[in-house]
Amino acid sequence: MKQRILWLLIFPLILWSCSSTLSPQKPSYIKYDISAQQKIDSTIWNTILPYKDSIDQNMNEVIGYSETDLQKQQPEGTLGNFVCDALLAQSSKVYGKQIDFCLVNYGGIRLPSIAKGNVTLGKIYELLPFDNMLVIQQLTGKQVQQLCDLIVLNGGWPVSGITMELGNGAAKNIYVQKQLLDTTKTYSMLVSDYVANGGDKTLILKNIPQQNFQLQNHQTLL
């Protein structure tokens, strides 16, 4: 009986809600533009100034010099080549032996270019701003082929220690350390943990064991 009474009470509400009409509401908002012309809040500025001075001093440190403009491009660009070459060379020193090749996903490089001239520490943090870790994975020759095919489908990614021709949806003439790819061999690859964990659709790498360097990209690059 109680359930019947409850239903009789709820049923008119259901009919009323179904018959009612909804009218769209026009949202209201206030737009605040932040620019260099904005008046500085002295309280906030005085709070952050000691930290800003310290960070600027570190980030403005010149750590290198580029003899030419470096450009981020596909299928290959000088900026991507620089990143991969530096990571592979320095990581091989830390590892104690030559790592066969290095791969960086195209989207992981966050600057379109670095101009000719001095290169600061801050510029490197802009270039690779993520806290990814570098790891080594051991790939079979067949897995290297699959990975290179994926690179081709993505329009080309920065690499070092490995070359390939971009065919029609597949990689051809793949060379690792200047040797033609051997599907019976195993190769060591340096890559970020983001890519190793399947990021940017690299699902073929997800279940392959990782050897962790315990070094971040910026530390290893330097």
Side-chain angles (χ1 to χ4, degrees), residues 113-156:
S113 64
I114 290 181
K116 174 182 177 180
N118 291 335
V119 179
T120 63
L121 178 61
K123 188 61 66 176
I124 298 300
Y125 273 93
E126 291 180 55
L127 177 66
L128 302 170
F130 305 111
D131 289 330
N132 298 129
M133 307 299 292
L134 290 171
V135 299
I136 292 176
Q137 291 181 294
Q138 304 294 331
L139 276 64
T140 65
K142 290 182 178 179
Q143 289 171 325
V144 173
Q145 176 70 62
Q146 292 175 322
L147 184 58
C148 290
D149 290 343
L150 178 63
I151 291 173
V152 170
L153 291 175
N154 283 318

Side-chain angles (χ1 to χ4, degrees), residues 62 64-70 78-79 82 114-119:
V62 176
Y65 182 87
S66 177
E67 296 181 348
T68 184
D69 292 338
L70 301 176
T78 50
L79 186 56
F82 159 70
I114 290 181
K116 174 182 177 180
N118 291 335
V119 179

Side-chain angles (χ1 to χ4, degrees), residues 40 44 60 119 121 143 155 173 184 196 204 212 215:
I40 295 177
I44 296 177
N60 290 330
V119 179
L121 178 61
Q143 289 171 325
N173 296 326
T184 66
I204 62 172
N212 200 322
L215 287 175

Side-chain angles (χ1 to χ4, degrees), residues 74-214:
Q74 285 184 296
E76 182 180 19
T78 50
L79 186 56
N81 290 345
F82 159 70
V83 171
C84 285
D85 288 348
L87 291 177
L88 185 60
Q90 194 67 12
S91 295
S92 293
K93 290 181 182 179
V94 175
Y95 189 50
K97 59 181 178 180
Q98 179 65 51
I99 303 168
D100 290 321
F101 69 98
C102 173
L103 165 69
V104 173
N105 60 313
Y106 186 73
I109 297 177
R110 307 304 284 187
L111 283 179
S113 64
I114 290 181
K116 174 182 177 180
N118 291 335
V119 179
T120 63
L121 178 61
K123 188 61 66 176
I124 298 300
Y125 273 93
E126 291 180 55
L127 177 66
L128 302 170
F130 305 111
D131 289 330
N132 298 129
M133 307 299 292
L134 290 171
V135 299
I136 292 176
Q137 291 181 294
Q138 304 294 331
L139 276 64
T140 65
K142 290 182 178 179
Q143 289 171 325
V144 173
Q145 176 70 62
Q146 292 175 322
L147 184 58
C148 290
D149 290 343
L150 178 63
I151 291 173
V152 170
L153 291 175
N154 283 318
W157 281 2
V159 294
S160 181
I162 185 170
T163 62
M164 71 195 79
E165 293 181 13
L166 278 65
N168 186 18
K172 302 186 300 182
N173 296 326
I174 303 171
Y175 283 78
V176 180
Q177 291 295 323
K178 300 181 180 180
Q179 298 292 322
L180 188 65
L181 179 68
D182 185 345
T183 56
T184 66
K185 287 185 60 176
T186 298
Y187 297 90
S188 57
M189 177 183 68
L190 179 72
V191 70
S192 71
D193 60 342
Y194 168 74
V195 175
N197 289 325
D200 260 358
K201 302 179 181 179
T202 55
L203 298 180
I204 62 172
L205 302 178
K206 194 170 183 180
N207 295 322
I208 299 176
Q210 303 172 19
Q211 182 175 351
N212 200 322
F213 270 101
Q214 299 299 323

Side-chain angles (χ1 to χ4, degrees), residues 31-39:
K31 181 180 178 182
Y32 294 96
D33 291 325
I34 300 177
S35 66
Q37 287 71 41
Q38 205 82 15
K39 185 177 178 181

